[in-house]
């Protein structure tokens, strides 16, 4: 592959991957529980690593660009390793976005779960208080933090995004029911508050 072609492909990949990382993945993440995204990332970790190495190898050099000496091979391998490490984050975000979008292609079944709210609130200056449920409010959305009752967690919590009408329904509750759709890959998405 010519250097010019490799450069164009590299720039296109970088643009698409950055768009996924900063635009598409945050929007997709609102439809999933944080713990499910974390589990997905762990399950596709080997694929992300391999994809990063292969992409760095294809884009880095052409075989004729190094002269075959010991140092040049070491530099070549080192360069591919460094490039793989540097693009791993955006490669992982790209693959995560693709899997999350593909998962929503079909709905296989509905699941009912109980969501227990954490009892913290983020104040305007970013401090946590134990006065009520842990809620983060943005422009027209509320993110309620808590845990699904029958799911094991290490140290993290999940967040459910909802509008003001849904938030007023559950505002005084410590626990409420949610309905999730199971997708193509079995990853639950789109938590909706049960009436």
């Amino acid at each position: 592959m010519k250097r010019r072609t490799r450069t164009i492909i590299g720039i296109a990949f970088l643009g698409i991957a950055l768009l996924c990382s900063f635009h598409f993945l945050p929007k997709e993440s609102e439809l999933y529980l944080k713990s499910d995204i974390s589990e997905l990332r762990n399950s596709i970790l080997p694929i992300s690593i391999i994809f990063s190495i292969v992409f760095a190898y294809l884009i880095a050099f052409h075989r004729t660009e190094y002269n075959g000496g010991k140092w040049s091979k070491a530099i070549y391998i080192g360069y591919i390793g460094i490039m793989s490490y540097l693009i791993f984050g955006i490669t992982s975000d790209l693959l995560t976005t693709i899997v999350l979008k593909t998962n929503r292609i079909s709905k296989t079944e509905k699941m009912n779960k109980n969501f227990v709210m954490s009892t913290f609130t983020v104040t305007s200056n970013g401090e946590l208080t134990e006065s009520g449920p842990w809620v983060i409010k943005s422009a027209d959305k509320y993110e309620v933090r808590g845990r699904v009752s029958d799911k094991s967690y290490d140290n993290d919590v999940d967040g459910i995004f909802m509008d003001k009408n849904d938030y007023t329904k559950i505002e005084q509750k410590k626990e409420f029911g949610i309905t999730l759709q199971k997708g193509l890959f079995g990853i639950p998405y789109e938590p909706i508050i049960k009436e």
Side-chain angles (χ1 to χ4, degrees), residues 32 92 107 139 158 182:
Y32 291 86
S92 179
K107 300 176 182 180
D158 277 320
K182 220 172 194 181

Side-chain angles (χ1 to χ4, degrees), residues 19-20 23-29 31-32 37 40 93-106 183-185 187 189:
L19 188 64
C20 282
H23 181 70
F24 294 121
L25 186 58
K27 289 192 179 294
E28 282 297 313
S29 296
L31 300 172
Y32 291 86
I37 293 174
L40 172 66
D93 286 350
L94 175 67
L95 290 175
T96 303
T97 304
I98 290 169
V99 171
L100 292 177
K101 277 215 172 276
T102 307
N103 182 61
R104 291 190 304 121
I105 287 175
S106 71
L184 183 65
F185 300 124
I187 305 167
Y189 68 95

Side-chain angles (χ1 to χ4, degrees), residues 56-102:
Y57 175 77
L58 291 175
I59 297 302
F61 293 112
H62 192 267
R63 289 182 188 195
T64 60
E65 291 179 353
Y66 68 95
N67 60 10
K70 281 186 177 181
W71 287 107
S72 61
K73 284 184 181 178
I75 290 171
Y76 180 65
I77 291 169
Y79 184 77
I80 289 174
I82 290 169
M83 289 302 295
S84 300
Y85 178 76
L86 291 175
I87 65 170
F88 171 73
I90 60 173
T91 302
S92 179
D93 286 350
L94 175 67
L95 290 175
T96 303
T97 304
I98 290 169
V99 171
L100 292 177
K101 277 215 172 276
T102 307

